[in-house]
Amino acid sequence: MNALPLPALGNIALVISALACYYGLLFSPCVKKIMKGASGSIGSRSWILYERLSGAVILGGVPAVLLLILSPVTVSKGELFEISIKNSYLVPVACTTILVNNFFATRKASNRNGYPLFRAKVWSASTLLFNQSTWAVYLFAYEFLFRGVLLSATFLLLGKPLAILFNILIYALLHIHRGRKQVLYAVPFGGLLCWLVLATSTWISAALIHISFAVSYEFFVIAYQEKWWRRKYSTPANQTTFLENIIHPTYETD
């Protein structure tokens, strides 16, 4: 990572601009009014689709195109770290740890409050796929911007310790609208993601871990709410098993 400070400063400005644009639109009263009028409420299929796909475009797609156009030389020299994953064993170890932790954490009712963010009347296979896939697309773009562009640029300018602290601080502040608990959890989780990026030399490891966390957490929450764990051989006449929903899905409307 031998890029000059000037491109690094430009990348930081790009990150700030992307975040300001995305969250400015997300919290815009005008946008909320339009989306609520179209979908009924925030948490509906339409809102989640807008929130996550607009995030994928604004936080990931547009910055990636601009970087390739404006600074192809610095990017090719590794300013965004490497493509290959070093110490690749860390990724499955972290993913497995997260899956186990989420399984037990979601058994506590208080940890399921507010989740899943997408509100569905019936959790069919298609609905579950919609929720998990939109999470994955959004978080992949999010990590590209945060642990790719921002962390690599601040690493060049500030060095490892300050780059990590700065990244954690911004990451935690962006969770304020989710509540104090989310802000507190963002600190150690953000630190873990930064450490993994530096240990593996790629932001892709952070994307894989973040996606694993979000997707598995909401899956376990949904599973407990829908009582999938308890549906083994029989269910009441007015209920269906998750397997039956896969074979004969029931679609809900916003």
Side-chain angles (χ1 to χ4, degrees):
M1 290 181 286
N2 299 315
L4 296 175
L6 186 58
L9 286 172
N11 288 356
I12 292 175
L14 177 63
V15 172
I16 294 173
S17 299
L19 290 173
C21 181
Y22 174 65
Y23 284 100
L25 288 174
L26 193 66
F27 296 124
S28 167
C30 181
V31 172
K32 283 188 175 182
K33 183 178 180 180
I34 294 172
M35 295 304 298
K36 280 187 175 182
S39 62
S41 66
I42 291 178
S44 66
R45 184 183 293 266
S46 298
W47 175 262
I48 292 297
L49 190 65
Y50 162 74
E51 181 181 19
R52 294 176 184 173
L53 293 192
S54 66
V57 173
I58 297 173
L59 301 179
V62 173
V65 171
L66 289 175
L67 281 172
L68 289 173
I69 294 174
L70 299 177
S71 57
V73 176
T74 56
V75 171
S76 65
K77 286 183 177 179
E79 189 176 333
L80 301 179
F81 303 104
E82 307 295 334
I83 298 299
S84 59
I85 300 179
K86 297 179 180 178
N87 301 316
S88 57
Y89 69 90
L90 292 173
V91 175
V93 169
C95 285
T96 302
T97 303
I98 284 172
L99 287 172
V100 173
N101 176 76
N102 285 352
F103 176 79
F104 288 103
T106 51
R107 296 178 67 180
K108 189 175 180 180
S110 61
N111 290 335
R112 300 197 297 269
N113 290 339
Y115 291 96
L117 299 179
F118 171 47
R119 305 301 182 187
K121 296 176 182 178
V122 177
W123 280 99
S124 65
S126 61
T127 304
L128 185 65
L129 178 63
F130 165 82
N131 185 62
Q132 310 300 60
S133 60
T134 52
W135 256 133
V137 171
Y138 168 75
L139 290 175
F140 194 80
Y142 188 93
E143 287 303 326
F144 166 75
L145 188 76
F146 235 85
R147 251 65 65 164
V149 183
L150 181 61
L151 184 60
S152 64
T154 52
F155 180 85
L156 290 169
L157 289 173
L158 306 174
K160 185 188 296 185
L162 289 179
I164 292 175
L165 287 174
F166 182 76
N167 199 278
I168 293 173
L169 175 63
I170 301 300
Y171 179 63
L173 288 175
L174 290 178
H175 285 75
I176 287 179
H177 66 291
R178 301 288 188 191
R180 185 176 64 178
K181 192 174 182 180
Q182 286 281 324
V183 174
L184 294 176
Y185 283 164
V187 173
F189 188 64
L192 170 65
L193 293 177
C194 290
W195 175 79
L196 275 170
V197 169
L198 295 175
T200 59
S201 295
T202 177
W203 61 270
I204 295 175
S205 60
L208 294 175
I209 301 305
H210 204 160
I211 291 169
S212 297
F213 177 84
V215 167
S216 65
Y217 196 93
E218 289 210 340
F219 174 81
F220 291 134
V221 169
I222 296 164
Y224 279 112
Q225 289 178 351
E226 299 295 304
K227 299 181 174 60
W228 290 343
W229 308 133
R230 303 176 188 177
R231 297 178 181 180
K232 295 183 179 180
Y233 303 107
S234 62
T235 55
N238 62 338
Q239 294 183 359
T240 59
T241 64
F242 181 55
L243 180 59
E244 289 171 341
N245 273 330
I246 294 177
I247 300 172
H248 303 293
T250 303
Y251 300 96
E252 79 292 337
T253 57
D254 288 333

